[in-house]
Amino acid sequence: MASNESEPKISKRAAEEEAKKAAAKASKEKAKAESASKPAATNTPTAPIDPFRQGWLKGVYDEKPVKEVHTRFPPEPNGYLHIGHAKAITVNFGFARSHGGVCNLRFDDTNPSKEEEVYFTAIKDMVQWLGFEPHKITYSSDEFDTLYELAEELIKRKKAYICHCNSDEVKKGRGKLANGEHGPRKACAHWGRPVDENMEEFRKMRDGGYKPGEAVLRMKQHLATKAEEYEEDETDSAEVKKGKEKLKALANNPAMWDAAAYRVTKNRHHHRTGDKWRIYPTYEFTHCICDALEDISHSLCTVEFETLRPAYNWLLDALDMKIEGSDEKGPMQREYGRLNVEGTILSKRRIAMLVEGCTVGEVSAASKCTAHGLADEVDELVLAEDGEEELETPAEAAKAASNGTGRKIPPAVMSWDDPRLFTLVALRRRGVPPGALKKFVLDLGVTKANANTATHTLDAHIRTYLERTVPRLMLVLDPIKVTLTNLPDDYLEEREVPFDPKDKEKGTHKVPFTKTLYIDRDDFREEDDPDFFRLAPGKSVGLLNVEFPIRCTSFSKDPESGKVNAIEAEYGNDVPAGKARIHWVASSAAHNSPVKARARIFNPLFKNPAPNSLDWKNGGYHDDLNPNSLVTYPNVMIECGFEHVRQNAPWPKEEGEANGVVDNSSVRFQGLRTAFFALDKDSTEGKVVLNRIVSLKEDTGKK
C-alpha cells in the first residue's frame, strides 16, 4: 500500500544555504589536492634587506665598485654634533661596513680659534654611542707639514698666487658691486705674479710678515676665465662644444672663483701643533687632499657640497692626486640629501645664544670676529650653518649691531645637552636610544633629495622603537594618597607583575599592594561626571595588576592650596566593578616602595613652530620662548621594580650601549599610562631625576 505521507518540504533559503556549504566544501577539497601536488616549500628565512646596498647608495658603489671601500666622517671640532650629523655618521660608517670596508673619524682641526678639547671628546663619544668604531682617528693638523709642501707645489705649478686684496676688492673681483648688483668678474692685480714672487710672499706669510687679512694664498681656478673663451662658434665640432660647455659651467661656479687655500689667523696657537704655524689651510684646500692622503675611496657628503665638487676635483687634478675627468684614481665625492627636522635649531651660533645668552646691538660684540673673519671672508665659500639662510659677514654684523640697543638676553636653556635642544648630546640625555636615531635616518631613506620631516615624526619613530624594547613600570607623576579604610594596617599582598606582558624575556617582579596607595591626580575628580570613568566620590575604578576594584568614600583638601590631598576608599570583591583601570604605587617600607623622584617634562622650546624664522639678529627670538617648555613634577612616585630596571640597564642593549658606552640615560622605561622616561645625569644614589623621552600615543577616548 502506497504511503499517503508527502515528502518534507525544504525552504528556498535553506536550499541556498546547503548549496553554499557544498560549494565551499568542494573548493576546500580542490585547494587541498592542489597543495598536495606542489613540492614542499622551504622554510629558509628571507635575508634582511641591507639599506646601504639599495637605491642611491647602490648607485654610488656601482660607480666605483672597489674591493676596499674606505670612507670618513670629517667633523670640524668647533661645536657639538646635532641630529643632522646622525645621518652623516650612519651613512659613512654604515656604507663602509656594508661593503666590508672601513671608515675614519677625521677631525678637520684647521681653525685654531674655534677648537676646544671638549668637542673632540663629545664627537668621539657620539660616534661610539651610535654603534660605530672608527678604523682610525685622524686629524687634519697631522698633515700640516704635507699640506704646506703641497701649497708650495701648487705655486710652482702656477696654480696659486698671493692676494693682498681687501674684502671689498675681493667681492668686486667676483662681480659683486657695492650697490648689491652684479657686474663682470675679473682677476685681481696680483693674479699674474711670477712663481718666485708668489713663493717669497707665501713664505713671508708663514714667517709672520703679514697680519690677518693682509695676505691670502688663493688657488688659480677660473676667476680669470673670460666669456669669449667659452663662446660657441658655428664651426665648433661637437667635441669642442662639449669642452666649452664644461668650461662655462666651471667659470660660472662661485666655488671656482679662486678660493682661498691659506690664510693668516689672529690666534696662531693650535691645540696639537702649538705655536709652530702662523698660517692655516682652509677647508677647501685641506679636505680633498686629506681624503687622498688617507686613501678614501668614497667621499660622501651632503648636497650643499655638490657645487664644491668641481673645486674638490680641480685641486686633486692639479696635484696629480686624481685623473681629470675620472674617478678611477683618488677619492670620488658624491652628495646625499640632508636630514632637516622642522622646528629645530641646529645652527651652532644660535644654539650658543640659547645656552650662553648674548648681547645684541653692541659693536664690540659683533666686531670680535672681524680679525679672523676678514681672511675667511676672502674665501666666500663658507657655507651657511644648518638652519640659517646666510651667514653675516663681520662688516654686516657690526653694522647691524651699531643700530641696536645693546639688549642683554639671558640663557634660555641649561646647557648644550639640554633635552629641549637637538644636539646629539641633548637627545642622548633626553633618553633617545641610539638605535632609534639610526632607524629614523634609514627609514627616511638616503637619496639625493633632502629628507625633510617634522619633530612629531621623529617622536613617533622613537615611541615605536621604545614600545618594543624597554620595560614597563607604574609611575605616579602628581600623587594623591589613597587609604583603603576596610583593610588592616599591616595588610600586604605581593603581586607578580611582568616587565612587559608582550615579552616574557624581560621577566617579572613583585610589587606590594597595601592599605596605603598613591594614584595620579588626573585619575580623580571631586565631582562625578557620567563621561568620566575613573575615581570619583561614590564611584569605583579598577587597579592595574590588582584583583578587585576600589570605591571612593570621601576625600579631603589642603587648606592652603585647595587641592585634594587625601582620599579614603574601600577595596574588595563586594565593590562594584569600574569601567576603567588606573595605575598606582603602594607604600611599603619593606619593599622600599615608593621610589621618590623628580620628573622633567619637556615641550617645544618656542611657541613658533618655525623658530628659524624668528628675529635672531635683534633678540626677538627670546620673546617667543615657550614658558612651558619645561614642566617639573617634584613628588613623583615609582614602583619598586625601578631598582631592577636601573641595575640591568641599558634598555635596550643595542648599538654602542651594548658595548659599554652607557650613562644614566640608558636607564629607560615606560611609565604605564603616562610616558617613556629616562634617568637624568643629575641623578645620584639618593636622588632620582627623570626626563620624559616622549609621550605615549594620545588616547582621545580616555575618560
Side-chain angles (χ1 to χ4, degrees), residues 65-122:
V66 296
K67 289 184 179 179
E68 297 181 2
V69 170
H70 199 160
T71 61
R72 82 292 170 268
F73 172 59
E76 187 178 356
N78 63 355
Y80 291 93
L81 302 181
H82 56 65
I83 189 171
H85 291 112
K87 182 172 185 177
I89 294 169
T90 301
V91 168
N92 279 284
F93 280 91
F95 180 80
R97 179 189 287 177
S98 174
H99 292 283
V102 294
C103 181
N104 291 351
L105 168 59
R106 183 202 307 149
F107 290 109
D108 182 25
D109 57 342
T110 60
N111 193 343
S113 64
K114 296 182 179 181
E115 292 150 9
E116 295 182 27
E117 186 61 35
V118 64
Y119 300 136
F120 288 87
T121 303

Side-chain angles (χ1 to χ4, degrees), residues 412-542:
V413 294
M414 297 180 284
S415 57
W416 285 85
D417 65 354
D418 187 298
R420 289 167 289 186
L421 299 176
F422 284 81
T423 56
L424 289 184
V425 288
L427 290 167
R428 181 183 184 180
R429 182 179 179 183
R430 185 173 128 194
V432 176
L437 281 181
K438 288 173 67 175
K439 189 174 187 306
F440 175 64
V441 166
L442 295 175
D443 284 353
L444 288 175
V446 182
T447 67
K448 197 79 174 176
N450 286 334
N452 298 313
T453 188
T455 51
H456 65 80
T457 303
L458 171 62
D459 286 349
H461 271 77
I462 297 169
R463 188 180 295 115
T464 300
Y465 190 89
L466 291 168
E467 180 69 31
R468 64 174 180 83
T469 57
V470 301
R472 303 178 183 188
L473 299 173
M474 291 188 289
L475 169 148
V476 177
L477 272 182
D478 191 4
I480 301 178
K481 182 179 179 181
V482 178
T483 302
L484 304 178
T485 55
N486 61 332
L487 296 181
D489 291 345
D490 60 353
Y491 184 83
L492 172 66
E493 286 183 48
E494 285 190 328
R495 310 297 298 184
E496 190 82 15
V497 178
F499 280 111
D500 186 346
K502 298 179 181 179
D503 182 7
K504 294 181 180 179
E505 294 296 320
K506 290 191 180 77
T508 63
H509 62 295
K510 292 181 179 181
V511 297
F513 177 71
T514 64
K515 180 174 182 174
T516 303
L517 311 174
Y518 295 91
I519 68 170
D520 204 289
R521 188 171 301 279
D522 283 347
D523 287 330
F524 179 75
R525 283 190 184 175
E526 299 176 35
E527 296 182 9
D528 193 13
D529 182 327
D531 292 328
F532 181 72
F533 301 140
R534 287 162 281 162
L535 198 62
K539 198 168 195 168
S540 302
V541 71

Side-chain angles (χ1 to χ4, degrees), residues 388-426:
E388 295 189 43
E389 299 76 19
E390 184 180 355
L391 283 178
E392 287 180 348
T393 65
E396 290 170 336
K399 182 178 178 181
S402 65
N403 294 330
T405 60
R407 178 185 177 189
K408 291 185 177 181
I409 298 177
V413 294
M414 297 180 284
S415 57
W416 285 85
D417 65 354
D418 187 298
R420 289 167 289 186
L421 299 176
F422 284 81
T423 56
L424 289 184
V425 288

Side-chain angles (χ1 to χ4, degrees), residues 326-346:
S326 170
D327 287 314
E328 183 179 350
K329 178 184 177 181
M332 179 184 79
Q333 176 177 309
R334 291 296 181 267
E335 307 83 15
Y336 56 87
R338 288 169 52 176
L339 171 59
N340 296 320
V341 183
E342 64 184 43
T344 62
I345 298 296
L346 303 183

Side-chain angles (χ1 to χ4, degrees), residues 7-163:
E7 293 293 327
K9 294 182 178 180
I10 300 177
S11 70
K12 183 178 180 181
R13 178 177 294 180
E16 289 175 349
E17 289 295 326
E18 288 296 326
K20 287 180 181 180
K21 289 180 181 179
K25 183 178 180 182
S27 177
K28 188 175 182 180
E29 289 176 351
K30 181 180 179 182
K32 187 176 180 180
E34 290 176 351
S35 177
S37 65
K38 293 180 180 179
T42 61
N43 292 322
T44 304
T46 304
I49 295 174
D50 184 345
F52 299 100
R53 292 174 178 257
Q54 311 297 316
W56 183 82
L57 287 171
K58 179 180 183 299
V60 169
Y61 181 75
D62 289 346
E63 284 189 80
K64 188 166 183 168
V66 296
K67 289 184 179 179
E68 297 181 2
V69 170
H70 199 160
T71 61
R72 82 292 170 268
F73 172 59
E76 187 178 356
N78 63 355
Y80 291 93
L81 302 181
H82 56 65
I83 189 171
H85 291 112
K87 182 172 185 177
I89 294 169
T90 301
V91 168
N92 279 284
F93 280 91
F95 180 80
R97 179 189 287 177
S98 174
H99 292 283
V102 294
C103 181
N104 291 351
L105 168 59
R106 183 202 307 149
F107 290 109
D108 182 25
D109 57 342
T110 60
N111 193 343
S113 64
K114 296 182 179 181
E115 292 150 9
E116 295 182 27
E117 186 61 35
V118 64
Y119 300 136
F120 288 87
T121 303
I123 290 169
K124 291 177 192 175
D125 288 347
M126 290 302 98
V127 169
Q128 293 176 326
W129 177 66
L130 285 169
F132 298 112
E133 194 62 41
H135 172 61
K136 291 180 180 178
I137 296 179
T138 64
Y139 301 81
S140 296
S141 58
D142 288 346
E143 306 292 349
F144 277 170
D145 288 336
T146 302
L147 289 166
Y148 177 81
E149 291 170 4
L150 289 171
E152 286 204 348
E153 181 63 28
L154 206 62
I155 293 172
K156 292 175 185 177
R157 298 187 181 198
K158 300 181 180 181
K159 296 290 187 180
Y161 63 98
I162 299 299
C163 173

